[in-house]
Amino acid sequence: MKLRQIDFRWYSASSLVLFSALFGLIGMLSLHIHTVSPQEAAAGEVILGTMEEVTFSPFTAFDVWWFFLFTVISAAAIVVLSRVAFIFAGRGRGASFRVTVRMALLFAVIMLVCWLPYMLTWFPGGVYSDTLNVIDQAYGVVPLSNQHTLLYTFEWKVCLKLAGYNLFIGCALMMAFQAVVMAAVCSYTVLWLNRHGVGRVGCAFSVCFFALFPLFPYYVVSLWKDTTFSTFVLWFCLCFADAVLTRGRISRVQVASLCVSTLLVAFARNNGKYIVLAAAVFLLVVCRREIREALVSLFVPLFATLLVIIVVQGPVYSRLGVDSSSTVESLGVPIQQVARVIAYDGELSPEAEDVFYSIMPRETWKAAYRPLLVDSVKWNPSFNASALSEDKLGFVRAYLDTGLRNPQLYLEGFLMSNAGFWDPLMGANENVAYVQLDMWSGSTVSQVDVIESLTGVSLRSLLQPYGYFSCALFALIMLASLAVLAVNRQWQWVCALVPMLLLWGTLIIASPIAYSLRYCYALVLAIPLFVAFPVLALRWSTVEGPLYLTRDRENETVMVDVDSSDQALSHKEEARSQEMEIREGLMCGY
């Protein structure tokens, strides 16, 4: 079987143009956002910058030049990355190396050992402000709320109960729980990649990445819901990829894994349900031709799981009196856009003025507005959240009318409200919920440096972060991977990354803050997927037909190329030859 070359037919060229234009647009728009100096950024003042300190410069004719320049550079980079992926795809199929379950467990132990110095240095973990509220709920001090999810509250309640309601021990148990969950999912990721064709070197690099990259132990130490949520998203993405690549022909174990991971993602964070709902609909579209085969085995249990999510988070939560995320939380971006119009004295109709000024006085809107942070508005003492909740339809009408009158201010408000998730220069020098290694003020627990207590030497100065990665960096890596796959017409592998794309999309549409790594941390966990997928797609594909995963008589999932029906006979011998190679061990199976 020959490896396919980069084929620039019209659909490949259109993919190249579209993704290059997207990168060009990102590059051009990033030049319009201006913030305070790097020194002030290091002090954590950018996110709190006023409208005079964080500005959006007007569009000019030079934007066309910058857009063209960034687009050309991006197109060249995509072609180079495609060629690099092709070169690595031709360097064997990982046949001589197979990761067993025992080896995967060993990988998990290696990761835990490498993360242990961080855990002992900041023992028993770092508690964030949101986590303090969850702990109060677990103790029964405040009413239950789903704002930080009941699942996370339940996790804390279990840890505290096992600790005899000792908060210090409870924090230690939660940190240990996060470490085990992350190590398990990361080691399973290595196993999954190996079973899909990644060889010894690729698996070694993946293990080293998970074990040695500091952002993994940092998030083990950081006690917030985003750590477990992100690991659940990665697991869901792997299960989703199996379903997409097989067009729904997966085993019962894989269906169960997909359903369980769907539940965990939906209940671990409030934007999780939108990710799994959209992903399920997307999977239904992908498998539409095989719907009869996959209906009972896959889609009935999957959509039953989605029904459970909708019922529990809707009527059941309401019946139990559990507060869900408020209207204000879901309207963060629109509130920012309205605040920008008011702050810049934009045009408002009398009806819109009545709606907006019933929520908060005009001068207070102006004083509270921060281009990168909606919290300064929604948590302002004068903000009347009940007025917004009671007249949602009126707010929507006023919002739409104001947008038609002030399109540029709305566009600027939208771009600045999520700038850190697409602009690689934004948030790269500032610790805004980047990690949480220390205890938040108000916590009754004091940290202990166990290594210093035992040896008299502290590793804190060596292990602490000295710089910060931009959230957009990991999003751009994901987009680059998708671009290489699309240019090479590997649509099934593009579809396999849809959950990660949906996660990023929810942040672009409704981000509560302009940048915070914890919201998109799943993209960090998925870096091995972004690197491996283009290579695997080129390695196991042919020009004539799409890539499928089928099951042989030994119930082992193997990679074979299944051509369209009109070409199946002409390629029968090639498929048979490839199957024989697989059976001889040239590729790993499940």
Side-chain angles (χ1 to χ4, degrees):
M1 181 183 68
K2 295 181 180 180
L3 294 172
R4 55 162 299 169
Q5 303 282 349
I6 301 173
D7 185 1
F8 288 101
R9 287 191 273 186
W10 73 267
Y11 33 79
S12 295
S14 63
S15 298
L16 179 64
V17 170
L18 288 175
F19 275 96
S20 300
L22 174 61
F23 288 120
L25 183 64
I26 290 173
M28 182 269 289
L29 291 175
S30 66
L31 298 177
H32 283 272
I33 299 180
H34 306 279
T35 63
V36 293
S37 66
Q39 292 76 19
E40 292 174 300
E45 297 177 1
V46 172
I47 198 69
L48 300 175
T50 63
M51 53 189 288
E52 291 81 16
E53 296 170 333
V54 182
T55 59
F56 194 98
S57 60
F59 293 103
T60 66
F62 284 104
D63 290 331
V64 178
W65 157 250
W66 286 114
F67 172 75
F68 177 78
L69 178 62
F70 284 122
T71 299
V72 171
I73 294 174
S74 300
I78 292 172
V79 172
V80 170
L81 290 175
S82 296
R83 183 59 185 174
V84 171
F86 173 75
I87 292 172
F88 278 97
R91 293 185 175 179
R93 302 178 181 177
S96 60
F97 180 69
R98 178 184 175 89
V99 174
T100 63
V101 175
R102 286 187 178 182
M103 292 178 66
L105 292 175
L106 177 61
F107 293 157
V109 172
I110 292 174
M111 295 174 196
L112 291 172
V113 171
C114 292
W115 300 342
L116 190 59
Y118 295 83
M119 299 169 65
L120 296 179
T121 299
W122 285 281
F123 193 82
V127 173
Y128 188 58
S129 58
D130 292 348
T131 309
L132 290 177
N133 180 264
V134 173
I135 292 173
D136 288 339
Q137 293 181 48
Y139 274 121
V141 177
V142 297
L144 289 176
S145 170
N146 196 48
Q147 182 174 351
H148 303 302
T149 75
L150 289 184
L151 177 61
Y152 190 55
T153 303
F154 175 76
E155 293 171 8
W156 269 101
K157 196 170 186 66
V158 171
C159 290
L160 290 172
K161 187 172 183 179
L162 292 175
Y165 292 97
N166 182 297
L167 184 55
F168 184 90
I169 301 176
C171 289
L173 290 177
M174 176 57 73
M175 182 172 63
F177 172 72
Q178 291 187 166
V180 171
V181 170
M182 185 179 290
V185 174
C186 290
S187 61
Y188 174 71
T189 301
V190 179
L191 175 66
W192 191 95
L193 289 172
N194 176 254
R195 298 296 171 86
H196 288 74
V198 173
R200 185 188 306 272
V201 175
C203 291
F205 273 109
S206 298
V207 173
C208 291
F209 175 70
F210 287 132
L212 302 178
F213 191 48
L215 278 177
F216 296 111
Y218 286 160
Y219 270 72
V220 168
V221 173
S222 301
L223 302 182
W224 48 27
K225 64 180 179 293
D226 306 282
T227 299
T228 50
F229 170 78
S230 298
T231 55
F232 296 154
V233 170
L234 177 60
W235 183 27
F236 173 73
C237 186
L238 297 176
C239 298
F240 182 84
D242 279 332
V244 167
L245 295 174
T246 60
R247 301 281 184 143
R249 296 193 291 264
I250 55 178
S251 67
R252 293 180 181 179
V253 174
Q254 291 171 309
V255 172
S257 298
L258 178 62
C259 292
V260 172
S261 61
T262 298
L263 285 172
L264 292 175
V265 170
F267 284 97
R269 204 166 72 187
N270 286 321
N271 66 329
K273 57 179 175 289
Y274 304 112
I275 295 173
V276 297
L277 286 170
V281 173
F282 192 88
L283 181 61
L284 183 63
V285 174
V286 170
C287 301
R288 63 190 182 279
R289 294 181 181 177
E290 293 79 11
I291 189 65
R292 292 183 179 180
E293 300 177 20
L295 180 62
V296 176
S297 61
L298 173 60
F299 287 105
V300 168
L302 178 59
F303 280 91
T305 302
L306 297 177
L307 181 61
V308 169
I309 293 169
I310 295 172
V311 171
V312 171
Q313 296 194 9
V316 174
Y317 278 7
S318 299
R319 186 69 178 270
L320 295 176
V322 175
D323 293 331
S324 299
S325 56
S326 64
T327 303
V328 178
E329 293 290 335
S330 59
L331 294 176
V333 172
I335 288 173
Q336 279 291 80
Q337 292 174 302
V338 170
R340 188 170 184 83
V341 171
I342 297 174
Y344 280 89
D345 296 319
E347 181 183 355
L348 294 174
S349 66
E351 294 79 8
E353 288 183 349
D354 292 339
V355 172
F356 297 148
Y357 298 156
S358 67
I359 297 174
M360 196 161 64
R362 178 173 179 270
E363 296 304 319
T364 309
W365 276 102
K366 287 189 171 185
Y369 175 61
R370 298 293 182 272
L372 304 177
L373 185 67
V374 70
D375 286 356
S376 59
V377 173
K378 70 182 184 182
W379 299 129
N380 189 283
S382 301
F383 190 86
N384 187 358
S386 59
L388 175 59
S389 300
E390 293 170 2
D391 190 18
K392 297 177 185 177
L393 183 59
F395 178 84
V396 171
R397 290 174 178 172
Y399 168 77
L400 295 176
D401 177 73
T402 304
L404 294 175
R405 297 169 185 266
N406 307 271
Q408 182 169 341
L409 287 174
Y410 260 39
L411 176 61
E412 294 173 0
F414 172 76
L415 292 174
M416 299 186 79
S417 66
N418 54 38
F421 296 107
W422 56 265
D423 181 0
L425 302 178
M426 181 66 66
N429 298 310
E430 190 174 8
N431 182 9
V432 178
Y434 184 80
V435 295
Q436 183 63 41
L437 302 180
D438 300 313
M439 293 291 178
W440 194 268
S441 59
S443 174
T444 58
V445 176
S446 298
Q447 285 185 332
V448 176
D449 189 337
V450 177
I451 295 178
E452 184 180 24
S453 300
L454 296 176
T455 65
V457 178
S458 176
L459 300 179
R460 182 166 299 205
S461 60
L462 177 65
L463 300 179
Q464 67 182 3
Y466 287 95
Y468 306 101
F469 290 99
S470 169
C471 304
L473 172 64
F474 303 103
L476 293 178
I477 294 174
M478 174 189 68
L479 292 176
S481 179
L482 290 171
V484 173
L485 290 168
V487 165
N488 289 278
R489 299 182 294 121
Q490 299 302 319
W491 303 114
Q492 285 183 272
W493 291 88
V494 171
C495 296
L497 289 176
V498 159
M500 294 298 170
L501 190 61
L502 289 172
L503 170 65
W504 181 65
T506 59
L507 297 176
I508 294 296
I509 295 172
S511 172
I513 191 172
Y515 50 88
S516 177
L517 184 63
R518 70 189 184 103
Y519 289 116
C520 63
Y521 180 66
L523 300 183
V524 182
L525 289 164
I527 292 295
L529 304 188
F530 301 150
V531 174
F533 273 26
V535 177
L536 295 177
L538 289 171
R539 178 176 295 165
W540 300 112
S541 63
T542 63
V543 178
E544 294 83 4
L547 181 66
Y548 283 81
L549 288 168
T550 61
R551 305 188 68 80
D552 64 12
R553 278 181 265 180
E554 284 76 25
N555 291 324
E556 291 191 356
T557 303
V558 296
M559 298 279 242
V560 298
D561 287 307
V562 181
D563 299 311
S564 56
S565 58
D566 59 335
Q567 296 171 326
L569 291 177
S570 62
H571 295 284
K572 183 177 180 181
E573 292 301 324
E574 181 181 352
R576 182 179 299 173
S577 175
Q578 182 184 353
E579 184 177 358
M580 290 302 297
E581 290 181 352
I582 295 170
R583 289 179 180 276
E584 291 173 5
L586 291 179
M587 183 185 172
C588 298
Y590 272 113

